Amino acid sequence: MPEYTKEDLEPESLLDAQDQETQLSAKPQLWELAVVFAKLGAIAFGGPAAHVAQIDLEVVQNRRWLSREKLLDLLSISNLIPGPNSTELVIHVGLEQAGILGAIVAGASFIIPAMLLVWGLAIVYVQYQTIPTVGWLLYGVKPVIIAIVTQALWKLGRSGLKNAAAWSAGILVLALYFLRVNEIVLMIGAGIAVTLVRNLNFLKNPKSLSSVLFPFSFFPLPLSAVTTEIMLRPWTAVFLSFLKIGSVLYGSGYVLLAFVQQEFVDRNHWLTSQQLLDAVAIGQFTPGPVLTTATFIGYILAGNLGAIAATLGIFLPAFILVPAINPFVSKLRKSSWTAGFLDGVNAASIGLMAAVAWELGRGTLIDIWTIAVAIASLTILLKFPKVNSAWLILAGGAIGWLLKFNQ
């Protein structure tokens, strides 16, 4: 489930769809795609909703490569498949303008600037994380991160838990997460359960059973067995773990927290919960895709090769799914089975987010100061939803640094 909808774009500021179609510019060359999306990757702060608005500004308004109607169609397609939605939208634009090569150039140009910045910060973090001043900065930043996750959970819950079946699936996933049930099993199980509830009439018509299989034929298979068997080198395991996550990651980028918590904190004990929070803080503070958090985690786990492997793993499925899904878009939109399955997966994503927010909150909100920072940050985010979270993170770091001199 996306963190944004079509309404996040401003239709009144644009030409109507018919006028745009007749005034489109010539298709750009590859270097133009690279320049535009590298710029966005370097300056696009604010999360997926802000990314979509900036893509609209560059691609539709400024350059007229696409009509608004076409961009909204591509946005809808991105919402149907797992992976980072704003990055998938970029890949879609590149695919429309210059084919497969355009998709690769556009997507890579959007990802690489943020990846390099996060990679550099990971190097600094590993070298200096034990310095007391840095610890105090993070002391003030982490409650802000809890507030950001809580606000995302609130927004997504309001739009994603549409009916009793979705609510039930979300609550059940939340409970089963604490019993350490595999997160992929939870997401797929919730999807199947909700779509069956919505389409129970198939039991009366065995011939329609084939339609049950349609949505699942495009769903990536879990790679848990592969990940556990191939552990020859740490970077290889990092790549396979993030490849698995990228193949099934529906919903907000914060759902990544749930997968990393189970995969690297609870199951393999490669990370601590504190390191996970630090990684999320870096992902929030930097521009570009939120999922470059994987770059940070990969460096912590396996150095430079780990940073590259994690980034490739988390984003590779998007480069495969976007071209693969295009021919089937009309069928996916019309399939009640797909709609029910996605509702269930989205509900599971919300349940997973709630579980991880609870776990991380227990380790972060440890005194009156951290609780106060979290409450103040959440209040600001709910009252002023368009505020850039990077400013709150800066403020949290400043508060932590100031408190250092009073203790």
Side-chain angles (χ1 to χ4, degrees):
M1 176 178 39
E3 291 184 28
Y4 50 82
T5 64
K6 295 180 180 180
E7 287 72 22
D8 286 312
L9 304 178
E10 301 289 340
E12 64 274 8
S13 65
L14 301 173
L15 301 170
D16 62 55
Q18 185 175 1
D19 288 341
Q20 289 178 38
E21 289 289 359
T22 61
Q23 299 182 37
L24 293 181
S25 302
K27 290 187 180 296
Q29 298 182 31
L30 290 175
W31 69 265
E32 293 177 279
L33 287 172
V35 169
V36 169
F37 289 114
K39 181 181 77 172
L40 286 179
I43 66 171
F45 288 90
H51 297 170
V52 172
Q54 290 176 71
I55 292 168
D56 169 74
L57 179 65
E58 292 286 347
V59 171
V60 176
Q61 298 187 60
N62 292 347
R63 291 172 174 78
R64 295 182 182 173
W65 289 347
L66 294 174
S67 67
R68 158 164 285 273
E69 184 179 38
K70 185 65 174 181
L71 187 68
L72 293 178
D73 285 343
L74 297 179
L75 178 59
S76 296
I77 297 167
S78 300
N79 293 341
L80 290 174
I81 57 178
N85 293 136
S86 58
T87 305
E88 287 170 346
L89 182 58
V90 168
I91 296 171
H92 271 298
V93 172
L95 185 67
E96 289 288 327
Q97 298 304 303
I100 294 295
L101 193 55
I104 295 171
V105 169
S109 299
F110 184 60
I111 294 165
I112 288 174
M115 170 197 173
L116 293 176
L117 180 57
V118 172
W119 192 348
L121 291 172
I123 294 171
V124 173
Y125 172 84
V126 168
Q127 185 171 356
Y128 295 111
Q129 63 180 320
T130 57
I131 292 179
T133 301
V134 175
W136 278 99
L137 288 174
L138 294 175
Y139 167 85
V141 166
K142 289 171 185 175
V144 179
I145 297 301
I146 297 299
I148 292 171
V149 174
T150 303
Q151 185 235 15
L153 184 62
W154 170 255
K155 286 173 57 181
L156 296 174
R158 289 177 63 187
S159 60
L161 301 178
K162 303 174 182 178
N163 48 50
W167 270 101
S168 300
I171 293 171
L172 184 59
V173 165
L174 174 64
L176 292 177
Y177 175 87
F178 289 110
L179 298 177
R180 303 306 176 195
V181 177
N182 183 277
E183 66 280 359
I184 296 177
V185 172
L186 291 176
M187 293 183 79
I188 295 177
I192 293 173
V194 172
T195 200
L196 287 176
V197 169
R198 288 186 53 173
N199 297 276
L200 280 178
N201 60 334
F202 88 93
L203 295 173
K204 302 176 182 178
N205 182 12
K207 291 183 180 180
S208 67
L209 186 60
S210 60
S211 66
V212 180
L213 302 178
F214 174 75
F216 308 112
S217 62
F218 303 103
F219 196 83
L221 294 176
L223 300 178
S224 301
V226 177
T227 304
T228 54
E229 291 174 8
I230 303 177
M231 297 279 291
L232 300 179
R233 297 175 65 180
W235 69 265
T236 308
V238 169
F239 171 76
L240 290 172
S241 291
F242 277 109
L243 180 66
K244 174 181 65 176
I245 293 170
S247 298
V248 296
L249 184 67
Y250 276 90
S252 162
Y254 299 111
V255 180
L256 178 67
L257 289 173
F259 284 94
V260 173
Q261 177 79 26
Q262 278 211 345
E263 185 80 11
F264 298 124
V265 179
D266 299 333
R267 191 175 300 138
N268 295 322
H269 306 291
W270 289 353
L271 286 178
T272 66
S273 291
Q274 291 301 309
Q275 288 174 319
L276 175 56
L277 268 175
D278 297 342
V280 176
I282 294 297
Q284 277 292 306
F285 183 69
T286 52
V290 174
L291 292 189
T292 50
T293 300
T295 307
F296 188 91
I297 294 170
Y299 182 83
I300 293 176
L301 296 178
N304 292 323
L305 283 177
I308 296 170
T311 308
L312 286 175
I314 198 70
F315 287 108
L316 182 59
F319 286 92
I320 296 172
L321 287 171
V322 166
I325 208 73
N326 256 315
F328 306 102
V329 171
S330 60
K331 292 183 179 179
L332 285 170
R333 285 181 172 178
K334 295 175 182 177
S335 170
S336 63
W337 291 98
T338 301
F341 183 80
L342 291 178
D343 283 349
V345 170
N346 289 335
S349 298
I350 293 167
L352 290 172
M353 284 179 64
V356 173
W358 171 259
E359 287 192 336
L360 295 179
R362 288 193 306 167
T364 299
L365 307 180
I366 55 177
D367 55 32
I368 187 64
W369 292 110
T370 52
I371 294 172
V373 169
I375 292 175
S377 300
L378 182 59
T379 301
I380 292 170
L381 287 168
L382 292 176
K383 190 171 181 62
F384 307 101
K386 293 187 178 181
V387 69
N388 193 323
S389 58
W391 292 112
L392 291 177
I393 292 171
L394 280 174
I399 291 171
W401 185 75
L402 289 172
L403 287 173
K404 171 182 181 291
F405 296 101
N406 296 323
Q407 295 192 11

